[in-house]
Amino acid sequence: MIEVLKGDITKIEVDAIVNAANTSLLGGSGVDGAIHKVGGTAILEDCQKIRSKQGGCKIGEAVITTAGKLPAKFVIHTVGPVWNKGKNNEEKLLASAYFNSLKLASDNQIQSISFPNISTGIYKFPKQKAAKIAIKTVSDFLTTTANLKKVIFVCFDEENYKIYSELLKKMKPRK
Ligand code: ADP
């Protein structure tokens, strides 16, 4: 099941919240800042352990930590690409960020997961293009897993909310 909501991802009760992190895993601005602020230091401690093992997280990959004080069991940190006019394989890398987050969720028996609109903030990925990639990757993945049951796209800005609502309506014309 795919849903779209408008609001703050740190308030959504799910098994796992996805963070649009950066390669350092040390926190940043935007949704990353909000997740660390609300979740507390336990998340950063787990991120530091991952850093000492594998030196952060590459673009398109994902890692999992505790969710600290957030209303979730886990945070899945993934790193989306910075948009550079499509010259750096950004579309593939964004699809990988979604896919690897979903795979990690499924491997950890996670049933519900919420995604922010990865890369569409500071990283400037065009929103419509990003939404199409996100919805396609998620809907394809849901046909391959028995564990994962619910995926929520949490849109912070009205523009993304409208884009997702319209694209999802087209997928389910009878609803
Ligand atoms: P990126 O660097 O991947 O672009 P940003 O955090 O700048 O990451 O933005 C990613 C998306 O997250 C943007 O669409 C932004 O509006 C959204 N966002 C920012 N804060 C929150 C929040 N608290 N909950 C959900 N989405 C958020």
Side-chain angles (χ1 to χ4, degrees), residues 86-105:
K87 292 177 192 161
N88 293 346
N89 211 18
E90 294 98 303
E91 297 190 30
K92 271 252 170 67
L93 289 166
L94 186 64
S96 296
Y98 279 95
F99 178 84
N100 286 319
S101 301
L102 293 160
K103 173 90 173 49
L104 202 49

Side-chain angles (χ1 to χ4, degrees), residues 22-153:
N22 57 52
T23 53
S24 78
L25 295 178
L26 291 178
S29 52
V31 70
D32 196 5
I35 284 173
H36 280 282
K37 190 170 167 210
V38 180
T41 52
I43 299 177
L44 190 60
E45 280 164 23
D46 273 5
C47 285
Q48 268 155 346
K49 281 180 206 149
I50 294 166
R51 270 172 65 84
S52 56
K53 260 192 252 155
Q54 64 176 61
C57 181
K58 291 192 185 124
I59 300 168
E61 294 186 359
V63 299
I64 190 164
T65 69
T66 174
K69 293 185 224 150
L70 287 162
K73 297 188 191 104
F74 304 100
V75 173
I76 291 177
H77 306 259
T78 188
V79 185
V82 177
W83 181 254
N84 181 29
K85 300 178 188 158
K87 292 177 192 161
N88 293 346
N89 211 18
E90 294 98 303
E91 297 190 30
K92 271 252 170 67
L93 289 166
L94 186 64
S96 296
Y98 279 95
F99 178 84
N100 286 319
S101 301
L102 293 160
K103 173 90 173 49
L104 202 49
S106 178
D107 290 349
N108 283 278
Q109 278 74 48
I110 283 162
Q111 294 192 5
S112 58
I113 187 169
S114 60
F115 279 96
N117 307 131
I118 300 166
S119 283
T120 68
I122 297 154
Y123 285 0
K124 295 274 187 308
F125 203 112
K127 290 179 181 173
Q128 177 86 17
K129 219 186 255 299
K132 284 187 176 160
I133 292 167
I135 291 171
K136 168 113 180 60
T137 309
V138 166
S139 50
D140 285 353
F141 191 87
L142 285 176
T143 66
T144 70
T145 173
N147 293 344
L148 199 55
K149 305 225 165 15
K150 188 169 171 183
V151 178
I152 309 173
F153 290 112

